[in-house]
């Protein structure tokens, strides 16, 4: 899809004066571990990496530089039919709030965003704490790459 969207944008760039954007839907799960959801977290991490790679590729090519804003939206809980319209509050926001947060960040050169304000706070404060807290990772059985037992000295 990305290929065809970019071809469309290139073909029609002289016919309009508004900006183009490609939005990828990731998840905060891409940045943290979640029990029993390795496949989900892994696919969301791939989505983040893919969006960032395509953005860098397109912005390093003179023909496509600045043509498209790229963004990967990585929310936590969003109330949708998928989760039976979970009650909004705490880490769960409305789909409208998430979309508005995403749209307000377009054009800011921020590739990975969290959307609504509660998710931005969680993403900027809680995610690094979870990822790098040795006690949390120890309880989960994870080792950081700086752990001597994790480094291959062969």
């Amino acid at each position: 899809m990305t290929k065809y969207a970019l071809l469309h944008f290139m073909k029609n760039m002289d016919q309009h004066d508004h900006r183009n954007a490609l939005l990828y839907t990731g998840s905060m799960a891409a940045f943290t571990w979640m029990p029993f959801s390795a496949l989900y977290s892994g696919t969301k991490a791939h989505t983040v990496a893919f969006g960032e790679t395509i953005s860098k590729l397109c912005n390093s090519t003179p023909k496509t530089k600045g043509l498209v804003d790229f963004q990967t939206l990585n929310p936590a809980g969003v109330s949708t039919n998928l989760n039976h319209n979970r009650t909004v509050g705490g880490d769960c926001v409305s789909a409208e709030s998430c979309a508005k947060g995403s749209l307000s960040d377009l054009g800011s050169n921020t590739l990975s965003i969290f959307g609504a304000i509660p998710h931005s706070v969680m993403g900027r404060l809680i995610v690094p704490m979870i990822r790098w807290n040795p006690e949390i990772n120890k309880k989960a059985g994870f080792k950081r790459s700086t752990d001597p037992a994790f480094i291959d000295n062969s």
Side-chain angles (χ1 to χ4, degrees), residues 13-14 18 22 26 41 43 47 49 59 62-63 68 73 77 83 85 102 105 108-111 121 131 133-134 138:
M13 65 190 216
D14 296 331
H18 56 272
L22 282 176
S41 296
T43 57
T47 300
N59 286 316
K63 195 171 188 179
V68 180
L73 174 61
N83 61 16
N85 296 309
S102 173
D105 281 337
S108 66
N109 290 330
T110 305
L111 297 175
V121 171
R131 288 181 84 185
N133 185 315
K138 184 177 176 184

Side-chain angles (χ1 to χ4, degrees), residues 90-113:
D91 73 335
C92 186
V93 300
S94 70
E96 180 181 359
S97 173
C98 190
K100 282 182 180 178
S102 173
L103 290 174
S104 70
D105 281 337
L106 274 176
S108 66
N109 290 330
T110 305
L111 297 175
S112 287
I113 57 120

Side-chain angles (χ1 to χ4, degrees), residues 87-154:
T87 304
V88 172
D91 73 335
C92 186
V93 300
S94 70
E96 180 181 359
S97 173
C98 190
K100 282 182 180 178
S102 173
L103 290 174
S104 70
D105 281 337
L106 274 176
S108 66
N109 290 330
T110 305
L111 297 175
S112 287
I113 57 120
F114 297 101
I117 291 172
H119 292 171
S120 292
V121 171
M122 288 172 60
R124 288 176 178 42
L125 297 176
I126 297 172
V127 170
M129 186 172 60
I130 291 171
R131 288 181 84 185
W132 299 110
N133 185 315
E135 285 303 309
I136 292 173
N137 287 299
K138 184 177 176 184
K139 287 178 185 175
F142 293 121
K143 296 178 181 177
R144 288 182 45 197
S145 59
T146 56
D147 186 328
F150 198 75
I151 299 170
D152 184 6
N153 292 322
S154 54

